[in-house]
Amino acid sequence: MISQTRNPNQTRSAWSQYWELDGAHEQRAVGGPRYRATFEQFWRDQLEPEFAARSSLRVLDAACGDGAVTRHCAAIWQGHQDCTLDLHATDCSKRALAAIDALSLPGGPSLVVADAKSLPYAQGAFDCVLSQCGLEYAGLAAFETAAGLVAPGGCLMALVHHDQGLIHQECGGHHDLLSAIADSAVFEHGKALFDLQRLGDSGEIAPEAVADAAAEVGRELAGLLAGLDAYPRDGARQHAERLLQDFSALCARHTAYAPDQACQWLEFHQGALMAFRLRMQSMLTAGQGEAEMGQLEAVLADAGLGQIETGILGAADTGQPLAWSLRACAA
């Protein structure tokens, strides 16, 4: 069944960190940017008829992240200036919304921090309620809430994580790679090295003992770096390579760094790695199969939506699944 992501507070914090770091640099390549044109075409196909048929359109991008759908909607509206657009976007992360606000998008979207399960709008407030791989993180209750916001004659349109899709597979590989590092003891060994460095600096142990410990951590890091060859050279591997290389340089020149500062560096990057892994785990948990999509259809029907259509959005080059597509309308 569709269930809320585990450890929701930790997951929310991990995603907030991601948005705060502007997509966490090379991590930005995780989860589908290579398929951006396919997603954009999907939304153009869905929204162009809505703009063409109406003199005004009230739109909500729910669980919007950094506003991919909001951006698509604003861009499409540029070709339909005769239609008045009332555009809203919500997410639980104010940092994600700040990223949208900084874009100064056409249509001036209204941005509200809100949990997807409890959105601060009146029933039937929107002609189109949209979501791109967002609502499923909050579970079935979020879809039920979204359905209630659809006005008569309006539609709920969503892309939903596919548990056999290319993005899901990519996230699984990233999770495995990150787990290989996170579950090793290398960060603890690095911190222990700098605890020894303190003792060496005070003359309590011989410098050779510290050097031996540094060499041992260096060998451990070299083994982890070599193990990265088993993974594709993508965002997660680039992140891991840079981290392990910097960690290796830190150990090789351990006497050049203050132990307290070195341990702070290790704590920060260990936390960032764990947050990256948690984001990948949340994406894996959000992946839905046929049974879950059937359950979702039943929830939408119970909420009063009809003409429910579920399909698969495939990659343009291979046709392999990227996400489930969903459209449901209010009479």
Side-chain angles (χ1 to χ4, degrees), residues 10-285:
Q10 292 180 14
T11 301
R12 185 173 300 175
S13 176
W15 281 107
S16 289
Q17 180 188 97
Y18 177 79
W19 302 127
E20 184 177 21
L21 297 176
D22 188 27
H25 310 299
E26 63 271 359
Q27 295 178 34
R28 188 84 171 172
V30 175
R34 75 191 68 176
Y35 309 117
R36 184 177 289 114
T38 301
F39 288 122
E40 183 175 359
Q41 187 60 54
F42 170 84
W43 290 113
R44 186 167 293 278
D45 292 343
Q46 295 294 316
L47 292 173
E48 284 277 7
E50 300 294 332
F51 278 108
R54 299 172 185 266
S55 60
S56 64
L57 194 65
R58 300 165 298 168
V59 178
L60 172 66
D61 180 7
C64 64
D66 67 345
V69 179
T70 300
R71 295 195 301 272
H72 296 329
C73 189
I76 295 167
W77 175 68
Q78 291 289 83
H80 296 273
Q81 292 287 309
D82 55 334
C83 178
T84 301
L85 175 62
D86 182 17
L87 180 58
H88 298 252
T90 66
D91 197 86
C92 63
S93 170
K94 65 180 180 180
R95 294 189 177 109
L97 296 179
I100 303 174
D101 192 40
L103 298 174
S104 299
L105 293 173
S110 172
L111 309 174
V112 176
V113 177
D115 189 305
K117 299 188 299 298
S118 181
L119 296 173
Y121 303 104
Q123 293 288 293
F126 296 99
D127 302 306
C128 296
V129 177
L130 316 175
S131 175
Q132 179 171 299
C133 301
L135 289 175
E136 57 269 35
Y137 286 91
L140 283 172
F143 284 95
E144 185 176 9
T145 296
L149 300 180
V150 180
C155 290
L156 168 65
M157 311 171 199
L159 291 173
V160 180
H161 279 297
H162 194 300
D163 70 353
Q164 299 297 316
L166 292 173
I167 294 173
H168 193 86
Q169 294 171 26
E170 180 184 348
C171 291
H174 294 339
H175 185 268
D176 291 346
L177 181 157
L178 297 165
S179 293
I181 300 171
D183 294 341
S184 75
V186 71
F187 282 100
E188 283 65 34
H189 293 166
K191 294 170 197 174
L193 163 64
F194 285 98
D195 286 339
L196 290 177
Q197 182 67 47
R198 289 190 187 90
L199 298 176
D201 291 344
S202 65
E204 296 179 60
I205 61 172
E208 292 79 11
V210 183
D212 288 345
E216 180 59 33
V217 176
R219 286 190 289 271
E220 188 174 0
L221 288 164
L224 289 170
L225 270 166
L228 297 181
D229 289 340
Y231 299 93
R233 189 172 291 280
D234 52 23
R237 178 167 166 180
Q238 291 172 27
H239 174 87
E241 284 179 340
R242 182 175 302 178
L243 170 61
L244 294 177
Q245 289 164 357
D246 290 348
F247 195 167
S248 296
L250 182 74
C251 291
R253 301 183 63 244
H254 60 95
T255 58
Y257 299 97
D260 287 347
Q261 292 180 338
C263 285
Q264 288 173 4
W265 186 92
L266 291 169
E267 287 283 357
F268 174 82
H269 286 284
Q270 184 179 25
L273 183 76
M274 298 296 286
F276 192 174
R277 181 172 69 166
L278 186 56
R279 289 191 292 272
M280 294 301 97
Q281 180 59 58
S282 73
M283 293 179 78
L284 292 172
T285 302

